[in-house]
């Protein structure tokens, strides 16, 4: 008779999700891709979907307040996200590489407008949830922990001062070869915060069970390290993340 005890096979009831929410330019995107690479998880940049929709609306001459047409467009978006395995992804909209165009501030502003429409958000809900695949997902956005993945194992709410965020966005834009004005960016971030936080549908706010981080004076590595500590404290997450130990 064998005295060996069979090890239980861990099968998750649901695919584990780390939800990262916060205002624009709080560093979520960089942290999300770094974390996903470390954990071996998939990554969802949900803001990119709203940006894609805003760009598609521009291409098709659809007004940013035309909820009927935007709902249809959101339901039929012909978009692919290609990941090259190094964390860089290309976005192909209707056969065209729009990765760079999506990063323009005008597109971010337009995304914030279409994202305030209830039927647009509903039309994009299942597309976002489809990113939830084994071994796990790191999802970045405004309502990941409150609406899209309310059962996420770990929820993080990242903030930073308006000045720090404007400075980061300014440097990012210059690096990508875009023109930028720090004063305009600061004002734009204030307007975006106001719109994203005060809209009636899925406003930006921390989930009740979210862990908070103010990244104003923190580097990316420090933020990732802090989140990894929380990951290790969640057995159902740590079991599926290949470098959480
Ligand atoms: O994260 P971002 O800057 O790429 O997002 C662009 C806009 O999309 C942002 O101003 C608000 C909106 N957004 C949203 O409403 N909900 C999300 N989950 C992600 C983005």
């Amino acid at each position: 008779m064998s005295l060996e005890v069979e090890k239980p096979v861990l099968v998750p009831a649901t695919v584990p999700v780390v939800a990262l929410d916060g205002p624009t330019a709080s560093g979520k995107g960089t942290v999300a891709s770094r974390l996903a690479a470390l954990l071996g998880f998939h990554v969802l940049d949900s803001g990119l979907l709203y940006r894609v929709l805003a760009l598609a609306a521009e291409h098709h001459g659809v007004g940013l307040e035309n909820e009927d047409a935007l709902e249809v467009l959101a339901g039929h978006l012909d978009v692919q996200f290609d990941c090259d395995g190094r964390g860089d992804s290309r976005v192909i909209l209707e056969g065209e590489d729009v990765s760079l165009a999506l990063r323009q501030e005008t597109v971010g502003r337009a995304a914030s407008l279409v994202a305030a429409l209830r039927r647009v958000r509903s039309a994009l809900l299942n597309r976002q949830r489809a990113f939830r695949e084994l071994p796990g997902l790191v999802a970045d956005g405004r309502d990941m922990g409150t609406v899209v993945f309310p059962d996420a194992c770990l929820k993080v709410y990242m903030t930073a001062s308006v000045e720090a965020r404007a400075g980061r966005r300014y440097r990012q834009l210059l690096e990508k070869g875009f023109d930028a004005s720090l004063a305009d960016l600061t004002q734009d971030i204030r307007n975006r915060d106001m719109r994203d936080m005060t809209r009636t549908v899925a406003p930006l706010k921390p989930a009740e069970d979210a862990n908070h981080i103010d990244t104003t004076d923190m580097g990316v590595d420090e933020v990732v390290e802090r989140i990894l500590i929380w990951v290790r404290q969640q057995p159902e997450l740590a079991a599926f993340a290949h470098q959480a130990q």
Side-chain angles (χ1 to χ4, degrees), residues 21 24-25 28 45-48 50-51 103 108 111-112 115 121 128 140-144 169 192 196 199 202:
D21 287 305
T24 195
K28 296 175 291 99
D45 174 354
S46 59
L48 217 48
Y50 292 96
R51 286 174 183 257
R103 290 295 158 206
S112 166
R121 299 196 76 85
Q128 294 172 79
D140 130 33
R142 306 294 188 285
D143 59 343
M144 298 296 99
R169 186 50 59 81
R192 292 262 296 277
D196 294 347
R199 67 184 177 215

Side-chain angles (χ1 to χ4, degrees), residues 14-59:
T14 54
V15 176
V17 175
V18 178
L20 296 185
D21 287 305
T24 195
S26 54
K28 296 175 291 99
T30 314
V31 169
S33 26
R34 189 80 69 85
L35 199 61
L38 282 170
L39 301 179
F41 280 12
H42 302 278
V43 66
L44 163 65
D45 174 354
S46 59
L48 217 48
L49 276 176
Y50 292 96
R51 286 174 183 257
V52 167
L53 178 62
L55 200 62
E58 189 189 313
H59 289 176

